[in-house]
Each structure stands twice: as structure tokens, then as C-alpha cells.
Amino acid sequence: MLWIFPPLDGDAQPQSRDKNNTDIVLGMSAAFTGPSRSLGIELYRGASAYFQKVNAQGGVHGRRIRIKAYDDGYDPGPALENTIRLVNDDQVFALFGYVGTPTTTRILPLLEKHRDKPLLLFFPMTGAQPLREPPYRKSIFNLRASYFQETRRLVEGFLSIGRERIAVLYQADAYGRNGWAGVRRTLREYNLDIVGEATYRRGVTAQADMGEQVRLLRDANPDAVITVGAAPACAAFIRQARQQGWEVPIANLSFTHAQQMAKCLLEVKKGLAPEELTQNLLNAHVVPSLHDTRIPAVREYRQVMDAAQISLPRTAQSTLYTPHRYDYVSFEGFLNAKLLVQMLRRTTPPLTPQRVRQSIYTQRRYTIDIGLPLFFGPEYNQGLDIIFFSTLRNDHIEPLRNWDAFAP
Amino acid sequence: MIVSRLFKKTLLVMVLLFGFLAAAISLFSAWSLYSHLRSEYESKALAIAESMSQSSAETFVNNQATRVQSLINKFLDVEGVAYAFATTEHGEVIAHTFVPAFPETFRTWLPQKFPQQQFGTKPQTANVELQDRGRFLHIAAPMLAGSAGSLHIGMSLGHINTLIWKAIARIQIITFGVFLVAVAVAYFWVNRIAHPLMALSRYSRQLADHNFDADVDIRSTDEIGELAATMREMAGQLRDHFQQLEEQITIRREAEEALAAEKELLAVTMRSIGDGVIAADTGGQVVLMNKVAEHLTGWSQEEGMRQQVDTVFRLVGIADGQAVDCPAQKALESGGIYELDDNVQLRQRSGQCIDIGDSAAPIRDHQGVIIGAVIVFRDIREEKRRELEHLRAEKLESLGVLAGGIAHDFNNILTAILNNITLARLNQEIPLSATNKLQDAERATLRAKKLTQQLLTFSQGGLPVTQCANVEDILQDAVAFALRGSNITYELSLPQDLWPVEVDTGQIAQVFDNLTINALQAMPEGGLLQIWAENVAPPRGAGSERDTTQKGFVRLYFRDQGCGISEQDQAHIFDPYFTTKPEGSGLGLSSVFSIIKRHGGSVDVHSELGRGTTFTMYLPAANGRPACPSGFEERSVSGSGRVLVMDDEHEVREVLGESLEYLGYEPHFAANGEQVLKRYTEHLQAGRAFDAVIMDLTVPGGMGGKETIRHLCAIDPEVRAIVSSGYSQDPVMARYREYGFCEVLMKPYTLDEVGEKLRAVLHN
């Protein structure tokens, strides 16, 4: 189903008269257009759905939570401009739900500039290492595991089944470099090195020609390929690799957005059959499986998504996108919102960024009903360290139970 | 659009100038842009590298690949930066911006170019060429003097080239625009100058083509305007000059044409004149000769011109061959017309002298002054020849008249004498001695008869009574008879197909007789007479035009080996009574001439003294074949029948009567035509018609045979009449059949002749 979202802006809501006093406004800059738009849209949907539920129940300390979102198209420049606008013009309470490494790393100096205020960034959708290291550690709270962790687990997984020759396809920017560095780093611990590497330019579509990259990596004769990219680029790479008959296992990071990648991979209805295209594909996730309804958070997520009435920000309105009913990214957004609401509720009013941070450092422990406690402190600003894996069967994502399936 | 040549030249110069300018500007701009951009790029890259090494050293120290990548990705936004990458202090690449992969070139190039141990603190630059990517200005900046690795930035030189080309293109567009504007300005400016010049140039060409009606519309006051005014004035003067010239030329041409026409007329007239004309100036030099004059003098006009007139027209006396004064000189001297004497001849250039008649007259101009002399002369050789011939014919005619006058009576007398002698001899009672005397008398009478006949030859009445005959028969009889008993032999060679001739056999026999006797007398010591003949076809042109019955001629030659005839005598040998021989009568050759001429033929002589003489004759060829072979098979002359004899002479009637009785006929007599008619009618009515009538042609004071035969034919269409006459002046003798006669008897006739004729008449 194709949706064109009706215009709905937070500013237009009736409560906006005394928003400065009543609403907690969160500033968001993400990709709502372009090849990576699925990430921004799904993340926004998951968070908004939960905030709708909270707001319907009376909000936090009687205040409604609202997201002020701008589109940056997964481009660092607009991301920086959006952030300045959010801080200066919109005077948001905090930044929330940023998407992507190059965009987020670009605004880090801004956080440093407003460190006395402070300007906090909650749960950006990136596993980039600088966000987890000084000097930005105090201004940022991460929920998801880092790319280093994702790549470490992937490399170790391949090593566990004897695939030691690992090649990397990565986006020619900070995100790609981070993933590349993670793979390299893990391999070096085992006295190995990346056997082949290729890059691509950020922003390519699923129809892009990745023939040269496939050739470069295939020449290195790797046992497995790890991609550090966005969904359309990875889909393009995988399709061409498979069309050339290269059956090597290919693993994607969480940022690749498995569901969107599957859609991109399968939308071209010619050439190979869906089973052949999706064979030997592996995806890393930083949230539990959507299908695991034993987890309370998953059940709540499903209820919230089914109940929510979500309008996209004005900047994303012209985009053609069919949202998934349940999606790993919107689930991440949901969890982000759930954790933030926890953090805000457990802060004694009046709510200021300073007091929220102080509260977090004091409380230290949070739960979001996924069966795992989350710890935060001045030295540690990342909630989850767990990585989940899935495989693809046609367009269906299935949790990976045993790495032996990828054994040579 | 009319573009002046001036503008074309200006345009060419401008194009060259602007082309040179554009090239120079482009070259200079390219060079300065390149060096400028390169240095700018270099300084830009150096600035980036410097600032990075200053500000972000700690990022490098920690090998934070993600942040380094984030930093260097930002450089790509800087114009001209093509790539950037960072290496660790060990040379490992920890971040780069290459897609799809880090170039292999750098793996070997970098350690060579920037060895780690020699890396100072200052950034370094080098040029590098990457496969498929182009040429780059490479800047390597050490971080913390290389201890934290290095930063590398590539500035695209291809980008510089693109910028340079863009700049050059813009310069060219501007230059071209300026050029177009300059061309437009130059066009209008040059045209303002060139238009009057073109108009003037066109005007001058028109003047050169004599088109003086043309005008040039330039009225300005500047130099060009002055030039135009001057040219207009000049054109006016030229037009007047040309008009005058053309009028003069027309007048002169008309005069020349008239003169030429006159000259042509004169030349044609002169050429057409049948007489020779030579004109000389007062100095005696020939200035004009016509064609006849050229022919007669033997000088062509070209050769004769400017010669002295007495050189070209040389006269000599006939008698002494001495030069005679030129008549032109005489006419010039005397100023009057001068006629030439008869006794001078013109000596031709070849030396031959010819008879001419001429006159010379002075030429006077319209004021009467003598400006030359003209000689008019003509060839009078033919004239003189005709005159001679005429003279000869006159001689013969007068002789003929004389002969004719006496011949009639003389022949009557001879007839009586001859027949009486014949009858007397026939008397057998006469003693032998008397018989011999009678024989001599008879011979003398025959000689008299011959003489009479020769005389009669010259009379008008001697028309030949022609018949078709063989030349050979006549020749054999005549020549053999004449040469009897002489020491001359003859040789007769005639072709088999020799045509017969239409001749009076008696007369031609006489001709042959005379020519043979002439040869005999020319060769008193003996010799050979050669006679031959040949057919001569009639002249083609004449034959087709005239009657086709003309058969041509038989040409006969008589050649002897005698003493020959001198040139002087040759002119007279055909004159009557001219003879070189003591015993000659002077009538032989002149009668030959007369007879041949009357036959329509001709005779000529060619002789050289001491070498012999050749006579050439032309006799008319006959149409048919010879009617009768010569000779009689039966020489019987006797017969029977009644014969009426009419003659005014008593003696003739008597002797003819006796002869007829002797021959066996029964003679009856009449003295004139009236008696003949009376007797003939009586006998016819009585049933005893006459078998033949013999009538004298003329009867003095009575009706002669000529009239009588008409009446006789009326009475009896089958009348057989023989005409007889003493001389053949009357045409009846030649054409007796046309008048109604059956035969003719020439007086004096012999007994045999009478018998033959009667027999022929009665038996046909």
C-alpha cells in the first residue's frame, strides 16, 4: 500500500499556544527523503506512536511530548543547518532520533558548543564510535549497540564457522569508515586483515551499477563479505553479485534496514528468482526480533503501532513511501521513546536537560520491558550491547538461530 | 549585397588581427590562469593541510578512522579537491574518499615520493597521474611531523584545465562579439568611404567603355566630390572629341569606300579589257599592267611594276630587228596620241616577237598636266593570218570567176572535140598513122580537160559531189597512177578500222594526184613517199553541242624526203600560180587547198629545208559505209532505148547523138526546155515514152535543164533524167537528186562515161 501522508505539523496542534510551558519538544533531523528515507520515516513513526500513547495518558509530568522533525536527506550539511535551527529557532528541549553517522558526527561540535546548557542528543540511530567516546559522551545517550560491536559479532560469527577471508564494502564516509574500522580491528585481534575492500558514494539508489565493486571484492576471493552501507546500495551490490553467480555470504549491519533492503532487492522483477537473490544473506540487528511476542515490549510495540495515527513532518510529505506495519527501525524508535519517557518521568520537575542528565547519572538503571536492564553513567552512555542476527527468505526476515547455516 | 574590395581587404586584415589577438589572449590567459589556478590550488590544499595538521592532530594521534573520514569527506566540498586520504605513521591508509577503491598506484608511489623517515614538518607537493582518474596536484601534509601519520589531498588538474577551457571559451565569445561589432562598424565606415569610390570606379569604367552618357552622383565638397566633378568635365570633353573623331572617321571611311569601289571597278575593267594596257608615270616607270598585258609581254604585274616601260614593252622593227622607240615615251614627249607603225613587233620577255597593234596616249590630270602615259596594244597575229587567208581566198575567187566564165563554152567545145576524136578512132578504115595522131589529139584534149577542171576548182561552182568512199581505194589508184615509171617508191600504212570518208572522189583523187606529183617533183633523185592515216574523234564539246552526225575526221599524212620548203615559201605555196619549179603551173597545191577546204577539211604543211615536207590533211569522216566498191565488174557500156538529148550547142547534140547510136541507143534531140517538154509529152501520149533524158543545165535565152526537170517530173514522175553541164558552179550539179535528176554528166564527157551513166540510170 502506498501512502501519501497528510500534512500534520506539531505547530498546528491546539496545545501549541503555550507549548513552551507545556510541551516537551524534541528536535529531530533525519532522512525523510532520498534513498535512506525509510530509516527516518520508520524511526519517526515508532517514536511518535509511543509519544501518542503517552500523551493520551496525560504525558510526562503533565506535559505532552512532541517531535519537531526536519529532513536532512542523509546529508551532513542540512543536518547541521537543521540542528542550528532546532536549537536557535525552535528552542527544542533536546535532540532526539537522529539518523546516520555522517550526519550525526557533523553536529557533534554543536553539542560541545552548548555543553553548558547542555544540549543533549538522545538515542541517535547510529553505532558510530565518536558518539560513545569523549568529549561527546556526556551530551549523548545511546540505546543501540555500536558498529564496533556489530562488526565484532559478525566477524567472530564468520570466524566461528571458518570463514576467515573477509572483505568489506563500505560507504565512503564516516559510517563506512567506522564499520570498516570495526571489521579491521576485530580481524587484527585474530592476526587477520581485510582481504578486499571497495567503497561506494553515499546516496546511490538500488538501480546503481555496483559491477566494479563486485569485481574488486570477488578478485580478492573472500569467504564472506560485510557491507557497511545503506539499504539501496547494499541491495544493488547483492543483486549484481548474485546475478554474476557469486554465492558468497553477505552480511549487513543494522543500519542497512533489512526490510527496506529486501524490498529494494526484490522490486526488480527480472533475472534471478527471489530465493536465489536472498540466499546467503545475513543481517545484524540491535533490537530483538519483532516476531518474538514473548517479549513484553514487542507486544506493546504491536499494540501501539496498530493504534497510532501518525502524520509525517511537513518536509517528508512529498515522499512516496509505504511504511511497514511492524518494522525493526520503528521498533527501535518505539524503544527510544519508551526509554526517554522513562528517563523524563524519573526526573524530578522542573525538567531541564541538566536535571535530566543528572537524574540519569543518579538513577543509572532503566528497563524497557525487553528482559534486559539498561545502565547509564558518565563513563558509559550506551544502553544495549546485544546484537541479534537474522536471515532473509524471500521478503521474510527470520531470526538466525545457528551460524552453521553459513558454514562453508 | 555589394561589398567593396576595400571592405574585403579591411575585413581580411581585421580577421587576421582578431585571430591573432584571440590566439594571443587565449594563450596568455591559459598560461596565466594555469599558473594562477595551480598556485591557488596549491595554496588552498596547503592551507587545508596546514590547518588540519595544526587543529586535528589529536584525531590522528588516536587513529580515529571514523572522525578522520568525517573530516576528509568535508574537503571534497572544497572546489578543486578531487580526493583526500589519511595514513598512519606506518603508512597505513585509515581513511580515504576513493570510490570504488583506493588506487593501487599510491601503494608504490607514496613510499617513493614521501618516504616516512624524510618527512619533514612542511607539506610537500607533487604531480601524480592516476589511471582512469586524470592528473592531480598531490599535497602531502605530515601530522605532528609525520609521527601521527600524514594527510594527503589531491587537487584535480583536469579541473584546472576545464576551468581554463571555460575561461578561454568565454574570452573567445567576447572576442568574437567584439569582432562582430568591429566588423559592423568597419563595414559602415568603409562603405561610407568606399561607396563614392566604387561609384567613381564604375564611372571611370563606363568612360573607358565610351559610355559618355553615364553620370556619377557625387556632389560632395570634399576631394572625392572634386574628383567626380573633374571626371564629369573630362567626360564631356572626351565625348565632344569622340564625336568629332567619329564624324571624321565616317567621312574618311565613306571616301575610302568610294575610292575602293572605284579602284575595284577600274581594276575589274582593266582586267576585263581584251587589250593589253600598260600605264607609266612621267618618269617612264610602269605603274599598272592588266592581265592581257602580262600575258603579251611575259612580265607579271609584280615584276613589271617600277620597271622602265621600254623594258617591259620592248618594240623591235620587223625588218631589221632593231629596237624602236617606245610609244609611251613619244606620247609623253609629244603630248599627243601616238599610233604604232605596222612594221614593228613586240619582243616578249622570252625573246619571241609577236605582231601587235598599239597606241599610246598621255594621261592628263584634271588640270591638263601630263602625269603619265598609257599604252593600249593587242595581239594581231590572228588578225594578220586571217587577212592573209582572206587575200588568198580572194585570189582564188577571182581566178574561179575567170575560169567559170570560160569553162562553160570551153567544155562544150572540148566535148565536141573529144567525142569526135573518139568516134573517129572507132572508125576502122582509118590508117594506123592517123589513128596515132588521133590518139595524141585525144590525149591533148584530156590534158585540156584536166586544166579546165583545175581552173574550175577555184570557182564557186566547184562544190564537191560527195559520196561515201574508202580512202584506200582512192589513194591506191591516184598514187600508183601518178608514180608510174618514176624512181619513187611509196609506203602506204592505213589502220584496219579507218573510217570511210564523205568526199567527191574525183576531186579527192585529184588532191592525192597533186600531192604525189608534188612529192615526185621534190625528189628528183628518187626517194620514199610515206603515206599514213588515222582517225580523229570530233572535239567532245563541239560534238555534243552540234549535230551528232559529225563523225570526226580522217587525218592523212604525205611525207617526202625532198629538198623541203623554206619558211618564207611556206606562206605562199597554197597561192595560185605560185611555184618554185620551172615546169609547175602554180595551181597544184592551191587546188588541193581549195578542194579540201570545200570538203570542210583543212590542209597544212610542215617543212624543213633539206629534210623533207609533210602535208597533213583532215577529211570529213562518212556516216555510212562505202556504197559501191571501186571498179566495175563489167565494163560493158552499150545499151538500148530512146534517149532525148537537149543541148543548145549544135555540135554537142550531133556528137552525143552519134555516140548514143554507137552505144546502141536511139537518140532524139531538143535545143531547149520547151522542145523537150513538147517531145516528151508527144512520145508519152504516143506510147513511145523516152527511156532517159540528158539535159544541159543552162540554155542561153531559153528554158534550161534546171527548170525543165520540174515540168518533166510533173508530166511523168518516173522520168529518168541526167543533167549535164560544162561547169559545176550551179548547186544543182552537186545536189542533182534534190531537183529530180537521176545522174549527172560533167562536160567534157567521154563515150564510156555516157554509156556508164545511161546504163546506171536505165538499170536502176
Side-chain angles (χ1 to χ4, degrees), chain B residues 217-229:
Chain B
D217 187 26
I218 298 170
R219 309 285 171 193
S220 59
T221 54
D222 56 10
E223 286 82 354
I224 290 172
E226 271 177 39
L227 184 56

Side-chain angles (χ1 to χ4, degrees), chain A residues 279-305:
Chain A
Q279 241 179 5
N280 266 355
L281 292 187
L282 190 65
N283 280 286
H285 302 277
V286 291
V287 293
S289 172
L290 292 173
H291 308 290
D292 192 351
T293 50
R294 294 170 305 173
I295 302 170
V298 171
R299 292 198 300 273
E300 189 190 5
Y301 163 71
R302 290 189 170 209
Q303 285 165 6
V304 166
M305 290 309 289

Side-chain angles (χ1 to χ4, degrees), chain B residues 195-222:
Chain B
H195 260 297
L197 283 177
M198 283 166 76
L200 270 182
S201 149
R202 193 164 50 238
Y203 183 55
S204 63
R205 274 200 302 275
Q206 285 170 331
L207 291 186
D209 293 341
H210 298 182
N211 180 8
F212 298 115
D213 296 333
D215 196 11
V216 60
D217 187 26
I218 298 170
R219 309 285 171 193
S220 59
T221 54
D222 56 10

Side-chain angles (χ1 to χ4, degrees), chain B residues 481-504:
Chain B
F481 183 78
L483 292 180
R484 252 181 335 188
S486 73
N487 54 354
I488 302 289
T489 55
Y490 72 99
E491 187 184 283
L492 193 62
S493 65
L494 301 172
Q496 284 290 313
D497 60 347
L498 191 70
W499 295 330
V501 288
E502 188 73 22
V503 293
D504 184 319

Side-chain angles (χ1 to χ4, degrees), chain B residues 296-297 313-316 318 327 340-348 353-359 375-381 383-384:
Chain B
L296 290 180
T297 60
F313 189 73
R314 181 177 295 177
L315 295 178
V316 292
I318 287 178
L340 190 67
D341 294 337
D342 278 350
N343 55 354
V344 294
Q345 284 185 317
L346 172 68
R347 176 163 292 189
Q348 291 180 319
C353 293
I354 57 167
D355 295 321
I356 58 161
D358 86 340
S359 67
I375 306 168
V376 179
F377 59 102
R378 65 186 194 282
D379 184 359
I380 58 165
R381 281 176 293 183
E383 207 171 298
K384 277 199 165 178

Side-chain angles (χ1 to χ4, degrees), chain B residues 21-56:
Chain B
L21 199 62
I25 289 175
S26 300
L27 274 175
F28 179 73
S29 305
W31 175 76
S32 65
L33 262 175
Y34 184 82
S35 54
H36 184 71
L37 279 173
R38 195 188 149 100
S39 69
E40 196 191 324
Y41 272 25
E42 196 171 335
S43 61
K44 198 189 270 185
L46 284 172
I48 294 168
E50 287 279 2
S51 71
M52 284 296 297
S53 62
Q54 299 293 321
S55 63
S56 306

Side-chain angles (χ1 to χ4, degrees), chain A residues 22 24 54-55 58-65 341 344-345 351:
Chain A
T22 59
I24 297 167
V54 170
N55 288 341
V60 179
H61 304 309
R63 297 172 69 179
R64 295 162 49 85
I65 300 174
V341 167
L344 292 175
R345 276 181 176 159
L351 291 181

Side-chain angles (χ1 to χ4, degrees), chain A residues 71-390:
Chain A
D71 174 41
D72 60 32
Y74 194 34
D75 206 350
L80 187 63
E81 290 163 18
N82 288 346
T83 308
I84 292 166
R85 199 165 143 207
L86 288 167
V87 172
N88 294 345
D89 299 353
D90 299 314
Q91 299 193 341
V92 295
F93 181 79
L95 303 178
F96 173 81
Y98 273 53
V99 171
T101 309
T103 48
T104 312
T105 51
R106 181 63 67 86
I107 67 150
L108 294 181
L110 268 181
L111 302 182
E112 192 66 5
K113 181 191 172 194
H114 296 289
R115 66 169 179 258
D116 298 331
K117 200 177 170 184
L119 178 62
L120 298 179
L121 171 60
F122 287 99
F123 319 128
M125 189 189 164
T126 167
Q129 208 56 33
L131 278 68
R132 290 158 176 83
E133 286 171 3
Y136 309 115
R137 200 155 59 190
K138 285 180 179 161
S139 304
I140 300 167
F141 293 95
N142 296 293
L143 175 61
R144 57 163 33 225
S146 71
Y147 292 141
F148 276 179
Q149 291 168 315
E150 283 191 59
T151 50
R152 172 178 293 276
R153 290 294 307 279
L154 279 173
V155 171
E156 285 177 345
F158 281 126
L159 294 181
S160 71
I161 55 172
R163 291 187 182 271
E164 295 186 344
R165 294 181 60 82
I166 292 172
V168 183
L169 172 77
Y170 60 102
Q171 191 164 286
D173 62 1
Y175 163 51
R177 182 60 61 199
N178 201 335
W180 168 85
V183 173
R184 182 165 168 263
R185 181 172 156 146
T186 310
L187 284 170
R188 292 208 168 172
E189 287 174 17
Y190 295 93
N191 288 323
L192 294 169
D193 209 339
I194 296 170
V195 297
E197 57 178 79
T199 61
Y200 74 89
R201 189 80 63 207
R202 181 176 67 232
V204 301
T205 64
Q207 283 73 44
D209 177 21
M210 286 285 193
E212 188 62 18
Q213 282 84 349
V214 170
R215 188 189 64 75
L216 276 168
L217 296 189
R218 197 174 185 180
D219 285 351
N221 193 27
D223 296 329
V225 173
I226 295 172
T227 71
V228 187
C234 294
F237 175 78
I238 291 163
R239 186 190 300 119
Q240 284 175 36
R242 295 296 185 245
Q243 278 173 347
Q244 291 182 20
W246 194 22
E247 301 290 344
V248 70
I250 299 171
N252 307 301
L253 297 192
S254 60
F255 190 78
T256 301
H257 192 188
Q259 283 158 291
Q260 183 62 20
M261 193 206 73
K263 199 191 272 181
C264 290
L265 192 56
L266 299 170
E267 72 186 358
V268 179
K269 301 270 195 292
K270 63 179 182 184
L272 296 173
E275 306 83 48
E276 291 171 307
L277 276 175
T278 56
Q279 241 179 5
N280 266 355
L281 292 187
L282 190 65
N283 280 286
H285 302 277
V286 291
V287 293
S289 172
L290 292 173
H291 308 290
D292 192 351
T293 50
R294 294 170 305 173
I295 302 170
V298 171
R299 292 198 300 273
E300 189 190 5
Y301 163 71
R302 290 189 170 209
Q303 285 165 6
V304 166
M305 290 309 289
D306 291 344
Q309 292 286 320
I310 299 157
S311 309
L312 286 184
R314 186 177 288 162
T315 49
Q317 279 160 13
S318 60
T319 280
L320 297 176
Y321 177 70
T322 310
H324 306 126
R325 186 184 178 188
Y326 308 125
D327 184 274
Y328 281 90
V329 176
S330 68
F331 185 41
E332 187 177 345
F334 168 83
L335 293 176
N336 288 344
K338 190 174 169 74
L339 178 57
L340 182 62
V341 167
Q342 279 268 338
M343 286 172 161
L344 292 175
R345 276 181 176 159
R346 288 169 63 180
T347 306
T348 314
L351 291 181
T352 63
Q354 180 73 41
R355 288 174 66 85
V356 171
R357 185 171 64 181
Q358 194 55 49
S359 159
I360 294 167
Y361 287 164
T362 312
Q363 303 284 337
R364 295 187 65 90
R365 187 174 179 278
Y366 294 89
T367 57
I368 47 172
D369 301 331
I370 56 170
L372 289 169
L374 311 177
F375 294 93
F376 290 97
E379 310 302 322
Y380 196 71
N381 67 340
Q382 178 180 310
L384 287 169
D385 294 297
I386 190 167
I387 307 294
F388 305 90
F389 297 103
S390 71

